Amino acid sequence: MKKFKMWNWWKIGACTLAGGVLIGAVSYYNFVYKAEAAQVGDLCPDFTLDYIFGGEDGKMVIDEEQTFWMDQQRGKVVVLNFWATYCEPCIKEIPHFNELQKEYGEDGLEVVLLEGDVSTSAQSVLDSFVNLNDDSEYAKKYRPYYEQWPTYDCTFGKYTDSNNIGQKFDIILNFPVTVVVDRNGIIQYMEAASLTYEELEDIVLPLL
Protein backbone atom coordinates (compact mmCIF):
# COMPACT_ATOMS: atom_id res chain seq x y z
CA MET A 1 0.00 0.00 0.00
CA LYS A 2 2.80 2.42 0.89
CA LYS A 3 4.66 1.62 -2.33
CA PHE A 4 1.47 2.24 -4.29
CA LYS A 5 0.93 5.59 -2.63
CA MET A 6 4.57 6.63 -3.10
CA TRP A 7 4.40 5.73 -6.78
CA ASN A 8 1.27 7.81 -7.22
CA TRP A 9 2.82 10.79 -5.44
CA TRP A 10 5.86 10.45 -7.71
CA LYS A 11 3.65 10.50 -10.80
CA ILE A 12 1.72 13.50 -9.51
CA GLY A 13 4.96 15.32 -8.82
CA ALA A 14 6.35 14.52 -12.27
CA CYS A 15 3.15 15.64 -13.97
CA THR A 16 3.10 18.84 -11.93
CA LEU A 17 6.70 19.59 -12.87
CA ALA A 18 6.03 18.89 -16.56
CA GLY A 19 2.93 21.07 -16.45
CA GLY A 20 4.90 23.87 -14.83
CA VAL A 21 7.59 23.70 -17.51
CA LEU A 22 4.95 23.76 -20.26
CA ILE A 23 3.11 26.70 -18.72
CA GLY A 24 6.41 28.53 -18.33
CA ALA A 25 7.34 27.93 -21.95
CA VAL A 26 3.92 29.07 -23.21
CA SER A 27 4.04 32.15 -20.97
CA TYR A 28 7.53 33.03 -22.19
CA TYR A 29 6.48 32.68 -25.82
CA ASN A 30 3.30 34.74 -25.42
CA PHE A 31 4.48 37.45 -23.05
CA VAL A 32 8.20 37.80 -23.71
CA TYR A 33 9.25 36.32 -27.07
CA LYS A 34 6.08 37.29 -28.94
CA ALA A 35 5.89 40.68 -27.24
CA GLU A 36 9.35 41.51 -28.59
CA ALA A 37 8.43 40.57 -32.15
CA ALA A 38 7.43 43.21 -34.70
CA GLN A 39 3.75 43.71 -35.46
CA VAL A 40 1.77 45.43 -38.21
CA GLY A 41 2.05 49.17 -37.63
CA ASP A 42 5.52 48.93 -36.06
CA LEU A 43 8.71 50.34 -37.49
CA CYS A 44 10.39 47.39 -39.19
CA PRO A 45 13.37 46.12 -37.16
CA ASP A 46 16.74 46.68 -38.72
CA PHE A 47 18.72 43.59 -39.65
CA THR A 48 21.69 42.56 -41.70
CA LEU A 49 21.81 39.52 -43.95
CA ASP A 50 25.03 37.56 -43.80
CA TYR A 51 24.56 36.18 -47.30
CA ILE A 52 23.47 37.54 -50.63
CA PHE A 53 22.99 35.00 -53.40
CA GLY A 54 24.50 36.41 -56.59
CA GLY A 55 24.62 35.00 -60.11
CA GLU A 56 27.96 33.90 -61.53
CA ASP A 57 28.53 31.90 -64.73
CA GLY A 58 24.96 30.66 -64.74
CA LYS A 59 25.12 29.56 -61.10
CA MET A 60 24.39 31.18 -57.78
CA VAL A 61 27.06 31.62 -55.16
CA ILE A 62 27.62 33.25 -51.80
CA ASP A 63 28.68 36.82 -52.50
CA GLU A 64 30.70 37.85 -49.47
CA GLU A 65 31.30 41.30 -50.94
CA GLN A 66 27.70 42.37 -50.37
CA THR A 67 25.53 42.80 -47.31
CA PHE A 68 21.81 43.56 -47.19
CA TRP A 69 20.86 46.21 -44.60
CA MET A 70 17.15 46.67 -43.95
CA ASP A 71 17.58 50.26 -42.78
CA GLN A 72 19.21 51.17 -46.09
CA GLN A 73 15.98 50.27 -47.93
CA ARG A 74 14.11 53.31 -46.59
CA GLY A 75 12.28 54.95 -49.49
CA LYS A 76 11.46 51.57 -51.06
CA VAL A 77 8.54 49.23 -50.54
CA VAL A 78 10.15 46.03 -49.22
CA VAL A 79 8.58 42.58 -49.38
CA LEU A 80 10.17 40.02 -47.06
CA ASN A 81 9.26 36.39 -47.65
CA PHE A 82 10.36 33.82 -45.06
CA TRP A 83 10.49 30.28 -46.45
CA ALA A 84 12.12 26.87 -46.04
CA THR A 85 13.33 24.27 -48.54
CA TYR A 86 10.99 21.59 -47.14
CA CYS A 87 7.93 23.85 -47.50
CA GLU A 88 6.32 23.05 -50.86
CA PRO A 89 3.83 25.96 -50.77
CA CYS A 90 6.83 28.23 -50.19
CA ILE A 91 8.78 27.22 -53.25
CA LYS A 92 5.66 27.17 -55.42
CA GLU A 93 4.99 30.81 -54.62
CA ILE A 94 8.57 32.06 -55.08
CA PRO A 95 8.06 32.63 -58.85
CA HIS A 96 5.24 35.05 -57.92
CA PHE A 97 7.69 37.15 -55.94
CA ASN A 98 10.13 37.21 -58.82
CA GLU A 99 7.38 38.26 -61.22
CA LEU A 100 6.44 41.03 -58.80
CA GLN A 101 10.07 42.24 -58.60
CA LYS A 102 10.44 42.27 -62.38
CA GLU A 103 7.20 44.18 -62.83
CA TYR A 104 7.60 46.80 -60.12
CA GLY A 105 11.32 46.93 -59.27
CA GLU A 106 11.76 50.19 -61.18
CA ASP A 107 8.90 51.69 -59.17
CA GLY A 108 10.78 51.22 -55.91
CA LEU A 109 10.01 47.63 -54.93
CA GLU A 110 12.58 45.36 -53.26
CA VAL A 111 11.71 41.67 -52.81
CA VAL A 112 13.87 39.72 -50.37
CA LEU A 113 13.53 35.94 -50.04
CA LEU A 114 14.79 34.68 -46.67
CA GLU A 115 15.52 30.98 -46.27
CA GLY A 116 15.52 29.73 -42.70
CA ASP A 117 16.37 26.02 -42.56
CA VAL A 118 18.38 25.64 -39.37
CA SER A 119 20.06 22.46 -40.56
CA THR A 120 21.41 23.71 -43.86
CA SER A 121 24.04 26.20 -44.87
CA ALA A 122 23.39 28.78 -47.55
CA GLN A 123 25.90 27.11 -49.86
CA SER A 124 24.31 23.68 -49.43
CA VAL A 125 20.94 25.11 -50.47
CA LEU A 126 22.50 26.51 -53.63
CA ASP A 127 24.46 23.37 -54.43
CA SER A 128 21.56 21.01 -53.87
CA PHE A 129 18.74 22.85 -55.56
CA VAL A 130 20.09 25.61 -57.79
CA ASN A 131 23.51 24.50 -59.00
CA LEU A 132 22.23 20.97 -59.61
CA ASN A 133 25.01 19.22 -57.68
CA ASP A 134 22.68 16.92 -55.74
CA ASP A 135 21.17 13.80 -57.35
CA SER A 136 19.07 12.75 -54.36
CA GLU A 137 15.39 12.03 -54.89
CA TYR A 138 14.54 14.91 -52.56
CA ALA A 139 16.54 17.35 -54.66
CA LYS A 140 15.09 15.99 -57.91
CA LYS A 141 11.56 16.46 -56.57
CA TYR A 142 12.05 20.14 -55.88
CA ARG A 143 14.55 20.99 -58.63
CA PRO A 144 11.98 22.27 -61.15
CA TYR A 145 11.10 25.08 -58.74
CA TYR A 146 14.70 26.22 -58.38
CA GLU A 147 16.16 25.90 -61.87
CA GLN A 148 15.32 29.46 -62.90
CA TRP A 149 16.73 31.15 -59.79
CA PRO A 150 19.95 32.41 -61.45
CA THR A 151 17.77 34.61 -63.69
CA TYR A 152 15.71 36.03 -60.81
CA ASP A 153 15.85 39.70 -59.85
CA CYS A 154 14.98 39.08 -56.18
CA THR A 155 17.48 39.29 -53.36
CA PHE A 156 18.13 35.85 -51.84
CA GLY A 157 19.42 35.51 -48.31
CA LYS A 158 19.63 33.13 -45.39
CA TYR A 159 18.88 34.04 -41.81
CA THR A 160 20.22 32.19 -38.78
CA ASP A 161 19.92 32.23 -35.00
CA SER A 162 22.99 34.44 -34.85
CA ASN A 163 21.29 37.45 -36.46
CA ASN A 164 17.96 36.98 -34.59
CA ILE A 165 15.85 37.80 -37.65
CA GLY A 166 13.44 34.97 -36.92
CA GLN A 167 12.83 36.26 -33.40
CA LYS A 168 12.40 39.84 -34.60
CA PHE A 169 9.48 38.76 -36.78
CA ASP A 170 8.21 35.83 -34.66
CA ILE A 171 9.17 33.28 -37.32
CA ILE A 172 9.25 29.81 -35.75
CA LEU A 173 8.22 27.06 -38.18
CA ASN A 174 5.10 28.60 -39.65
CA PHE A 175 6.39 29.05 -43.20
CA PRO A 176 5.72 30.82 -45.48
CA VAL A 177 5.47 34.25 -43.88
CA THR A 178 5.27 37.46 -45.90
CA VAL A 179 6.00 40.89 -44.46
CA VAL A 180 5.42 44.10 -46.45
CA VAL A 181 7.12 47.31 -45.35
CA ASP A 182 6.20 50.73 -46.75
CA ARG A 183 8.57 53.48 -47.90
CA ASN A 184 8.71 54.93 -44.39
CA GLY A 185 9.81 51.61 -42.89
CA ILE A 186 6.44 50.79 -41.33
CA ILE A 187 5.12 47.21 -41.48
CA GLN A 188 1.82 47.27 -43.36
CA TYR A 189 1.23 43.53 -43.79
CA MET A 190 2.38 40.37 -42.04
CA GLU A 191 0.76 36.97 -42.49
CA ALA A 192 1.70 33.29 -42.46
CA ALA A 193 0.06 32.26 -45.72
CA SER A 194 0.89 31.26 -49.27
CA LEU A 195 -0.03 34.08 -51.67
CA THR A 196 -0.97 34.23 -55.34
CA TYR A 197 0.49 36.87 -57.62
CA GLU A 198 -2.83 38.71 -57.66
CA GLU A 199 -2.95 38.77 -53.86
CA LEU A 200 0.60 40.14 -53.73
CA GLU A 201 -0.32 42.88 -56.17
CA ASP A 202 -3.35 43.85 -54.08
CA ILE A 203 -1.12 44.23 -51.02
CA VAL A 204 1.84 45.99 -52.66
CA LEU A 205 0.38 48.31 -55.32
CA PRO A 206 -1.36 50.73 -52.90
CA LEU A 207 2.03 51.29 -51.24
CA LEU A 208 3.89 52.05 -54.47
Side-chain angles (χ1 to χ4, degrees):
M1 189 67 172
K2 289 183 178 179
K3 288 184 178 180
F4 176 78
K5 287 183 178 179
M6 288 180 63
W7 173 247
N8 276 273
W9 278 115
W10 183 87
K11 287 197 293 185
I12 292 170
C15 290
T16 302
L17 178 61
V21 171
L22 179 60
I23 291 171
V26 171
S27 298
Y28 174 81
Y29 174 75
N30 285 311
F31 297 108
V32 179
Y33 182 92
K34 201 172 182 67
E36 293 176 353
Q39 307 290 328
V40 171
D42 290 349
L43 184 68
C44 183
D46 186 28
F47 63 84
T48 303
L49 282 181
D50 297 328
Y51 305 100
I52 297 292
F53 297 176
E56 184 176 288
D57 299 326
K59 292 187 176 184
M60 295 181 77
V61 297
I62 303 303
D63 188 346
E64 297 179 352
E65 300 297 319
Q66 298 186 65
T67 303
F68 178 89
W69 291 81
M70 185 63 201
D71 267 5
Q72 292 180 357
Q73 308 309 309
R74 199 65 57 85
K76 295 181 180 180
V77 174
V78 181
V79 177
L80 307 173
N81 178 250
F82 295 85
W83 67 282
T85 57
Y86 57 80
C87 168
E88 193 158 333
C90 297
I91 58 175
K92 283 185 175 180
E93 73 173 354
I94 284 178
H96 304 325
F97 289 98
N98 180 58
E99 186 178 352
L100 197 74
Q101 179 67 56
K102 286 186 180 235
E103 186 68 27
Y104 300 107
E106 293 184 357
D107 298 321
L109 179 70
E110 182 74 25
V111 176
V112 185
L113 302 174
L114 295 151
E115 189 270 322
D117 288 350
V118 294
S119 60
T120 58
S121 68
Q123 191 61 56
S124 70
V125 172
L126 295 180
D127 289 340
S128 294
F129 299 106
V130 181
N131 297 336
L132 312 183
N133 295 333
D134 188 342
D135 290 326
S136 69
E137 291 303 314
Y138 181 79
K140 288 178 182 177
K141 176 182 177 182
Y142 289 108
R143 181 159 295 153
Y145 300 109
Y146 295 92
E147 286 178 324
Q148 301 304 313
W149 278 16
T151 65
Y152 278 15
D153 292 336
C154 304
T155 295
F156 288 85
K158 181 180 176 64
Y159 67 95
T160 63
D161 290 341
S162 63
N163 53 29
N164 291 325
I165 295 175
Q167 182 171 345
K168 289 178 179 180
F169 293 92
D170 189 26
I171 309 298
I172 307 297
L173 293 173
N174 51 337
F175 301 111
V177 176
T178 298
V179 179
V180 180
V181 182
D182 68 17
R183 295 181 187 272
N184 296 314
I186 304 300
I187 298 173
Q188 298 294 341
Y189 176 90
M190 181 186 299
E191 291 290 341
S194 182
L195 298 170
T196 66
Y197 179 76
E198 290 73 20
E199 289 170 333
L200 282 167
E201 273 195 322
D202 289 343
I203 297 165
V204 170
L205 286 186
L207 303 175
L208 290 172

